[in-house]
Every structure is written in structure tokens, then in C-alpha cells.
Amino acid sequence: MQAADVIVLGAGAAGMMCAIEAGRRGRKVVVLDHAKSAGEKIRISGGGRCNFTNLSTARERFLSRNPRFALSALRRFTPQDFIARVDAAGIAWHEKTLGQLFCDGKATQIVDMLLSDMRAAGVRLELGHEVLSVRRVGKFHVETDKGAYSADSLVVATGGKSIPKMGATGIGYRIAEEFGLAVTETRPALVPLTFAEQDLAALRPLSGIAVDARVSCGKTSFDESLLFTHRGLSGPVILQISSYWREGDTLSIDLARGQDVAAALKAQRSEAGRQALHNALARFLPEKLATLWVERSGLRGNLADQSNAALDRLAATVHHWQVRPVGSEGYRTAEVTLGGVDTDGLDSRTMEAKAVPGLHFIGEVVDVTGWLGGYNFQWAWSSGWAAGQVA
């Protein structure tokens, strides 16, 4: 049995941040992970450039049964705090749209920074260790396929179920339940949505086409890029709305947001009425999409042949396309898992289980899920930092 002060399960963003902070306090820390490399989700994030935070941490951009739970950690370790570490490490970065911050170079720079900080803090990293059991007999005891470990504090940073090909499992939820903590319903989030075969048959020629769209589900709307795929819809705006969409819900999609297609078509009709209707519509939509939308409308002839009512109906299908996905691509491509360890059982300042002193849950395993755009990484940094101050 190898002894430590703190055992961290998971060498992802939250786990490494927690280990660094605990190690800097002089704690003897060991990080266990079944993967061959640390920070794999960091490495693939942001198209390989890591969208490592967002300048905003507004409450409404984090989903949870208790949306206020995340605020304590987010206010105490802010995006500016993490940016300061990135700057100190000499990592160049840039801001894209909507406050999203990316590395100028490779995402592995962030992984290397965290690994360097762990080494400097005296943290021991043990990769390729499969956790077989976790129990508490005075101390916390973790049995792995390569040996046993004990510690006063145990931090669970095992992530969710998303991207199982990278080794994601539900072990963190099982550990929570074994210690009597509740786990809320989990499901894939920030994930492409899929169509029924009959809908795909008509839309498949659009695969690969992107438009700037507004997508709404109930009272929630997002404005970003939408991508038609061979299975349904993807792109940032779809990933965002997927966290709010549930099976059976209908999406309302504006394929030409910010434009008045009906008014523009009527104006064109008086100036260039002899052009084909799909060519007129192609001023607002990609050509293939415009052609298909005119075909679906059943309209025939040139622009001059269309009545005001006909153009209004066509524009309505552009601005208010109603579609009901049948599902999502699931955990296979989901960027995060929605739901997790119920925050009612955790202390928001320390991430410690209220009923189990010394047991902490951080990062994606907790029922806190951010929007697309760096929010989930900031939650990982903030929750990991918070636990690292006390574990």
C-alpha cells in the first residue's frame, strides 16, 4: 500500500489543476489515470488549439439543477487567473468570437504547462492504472491493477461519459453512489443531432454546407454557424442547442438570420424579375440549399411569376424551418456529459461531499455543464483550484 496525503483520480484538466494546488500547499499528491497520456481531451480540444477559457462566466452559461452552485469557484479562480498562468508560461493566445480564447499554437502547450507545474509541485503522476475499487477504512483506499494507494483525501476528477474511444467511463458516478451521493440524469451534450431516414433522404445532398443561423428550442436561442451533415445537423449553434433539446422537441431554425428574405425577394422582383427563383434565393443561402428550398416549396417559374403571398410562404420556410431531430450522435462525439454528481451533496467552496469529509468531486463529473466556447475548461480550472485549496 502506497501512502499519500491526496489521491486524485483523473489526469484531465480538473484533476491536474487540483493536484498542482494541493502540491503547492506541501501535500503529498498522487494522480492516477487509466490513460497512457495526461490531458487527452485538452489535446484534441479547439481543433487542436485548445479553447482554454472564455472571458465570461455568466451564471446562465452553466447548466445545472442548481445553476448558482458553480459561482463560488468561478468567482474565486477566474478566467483572468488562468490567463495569467498561460502568460507566465509564455503561451501565445488570441481571442476569437464571443470571448473564446485559443492558443496560437498547439493545445499540447497547455498540457505541457500543467505537467510542468505538477512536477514543480512534487506531484506524482501514475498513468495506465485502472481503478478496481475505492473504499474508506479510516483513510481512502484505492485499489488499481498495478497496486494499492491510501490517502486522507480523495478527489474524483474522472470526467463524464463523453468520447468513450478516449477511455471515458462512468466510474466517477459509481464512486459517488457507493459513498451515498446522488447522481442526476446524465446524457450527451454539445453534440450533433440526427434525423430520421426519411428526412435525411431529402437533405443528404446538403451535407457539408454551412450557414449562419439562429436555432431555437423553446425559449432558448443561439446564433452561430450551422452545418448540414450526412446524419443530420452539427456546427456550433447545434452543439449549443443540444444541451437544451430533449427527445420529441422541435427546433425552429432561421437559415438567414438578420435578413428579411421576403422583402428582399419582392424588391428583386421589380428589378430582376426574369431570374429563376432559386437564383434569387441564392443571394441569401448557398446555391444547393436555395435550390432545394425552392423545390420543397413547390413554387415554379421565375421570380416575377410569384405573388407576395408565395414569396412570404417561401421566406417563412427559410426563417422558421421546423425540424424534429430523432436523436443525437451520443457520447461517441459529445464534447461533454450533461448532469452528474448532484450539487446538493457538495460544498460549493471546497467541492467536498457534505456527508463524506475528505471526498471531493470536480470538473465534468459534477452536475455543472458549460456552453460551448471554453466554459467547461474554466469550470475544470475553477473547481480543481477550489478543491486543491483544502484537499
Side-chain angles (χ1 to χ4, degrees), residues 185-264:
E185 177 192 6
T186 57
R187 58 191 178 90
L190 302 184
V191 62
L193 299 177
T194 58
F195 289 161
E197 183 56 41
Q198 61 268 27
D199 295 320
L200 280 177
L203 297 174
R204 192 168 280 124
L206 301 178
S207 180
I209 289 177
V211 296
D212 191 23
R214 168 169 291 180
V215 179
S216 304
C217 184
K219 296 180 179 180
T220 302
S221 299
F222 290 99
D223 297 345
E224 282 190 76
S225 177
L226 175 149
L227 176 68
F228 288 88
T229 74
H230 66 287
R231 300 189 67 188
L233 296 175
S234 187
V237 72
I238 293 297
L239 301 189
Q240 293 281 36
I241 207 68
S242 71
S243 294
Y244 296 84
W245 176 85
R246 299 300 296 262
E247 288 77 0
D249 287 348
T250 296
L251 300 180
S252 179
I253 302 178
D254 183 350
L255 295 167
R257 71 179 182 90
Q259 303 184 76
D260 187 339
V261 170

Side-chain angles (χ1 to χ4, degrees), residues 10-164:
M16 287 194 284
M17 176 62 83
C18 178
I20 291 164
E21 293 303 305
R24 287 176 174 176
R25 292 173 41 238
R27 301 283 275 171
K28 183 179 180 182
V29 183
V30 60
V31 178
L32 304 175
D33 199 300
H34 65 281
K36 295 180 180 179
S37 302
E40 281 297 277
K41 286 188 77 172
I42 299 174
R43 181 183 60 80
I44 68 169
S45 66
R49 293 191 182 275
C50 188
N51 179 193
F52 57 84
T53 192
N54 194 291
L55 294 177
S56 171
T57 54
R59 183 182 69 180
E60 65 272 12
R61 301 184 183 191
F62 293 88
L63 286 72
S64 172
R65 284 178 60 179
N66 177 7
R68 295 190 62 83
F69 178 85
L71 293 182
S72 175
L74 290 168
R75 287 170 176 170
R76 288 160 59 225
F77 188 84
T78 67
Q80 288 69 31
D81 290 323
F82 192 76
I83 292 168
R85 298 195 180 194
V86 172
D87 288 341
I91 300 173
W93 54 271
H94 59 279
E95 180 182 350
K96 294 184 75 172
T97 59
L98 307 174
Q100 302 170 41
L101 304 189
F102 287 79
C103 297
D104 286 355
K106 294 182 178 180
T108 50
Q109 292 176 294
I110 299 294
V111 179
D112 292 342
M113 177 188 75
L114 296 169
L115 290 173
S116 176
D117 286 349
M118 283 203 297
R119 287 191 295 270
V123 174
R124 181 178 169 191
L125 176 61
E126 297 285 2
L127 298 170
H129 281 55
E130 181 183 355
V131 173
L132 303 178
S133 67
V134 176
R135 57 194 176 90
R136 189 181 189 191
V137 184
K139 294 177 179 288
F140 290 96
H141 297 271
V142 177
E143 189 79 30
T144 78
D145 60 343
K146 294 182 179 177
Y149 299 81
S150 68
D152 299 318
S153 297
L154 176 67
V155 182
V156 180
T158 51
K161 301 176 182 177
S162 56
I163 318 183

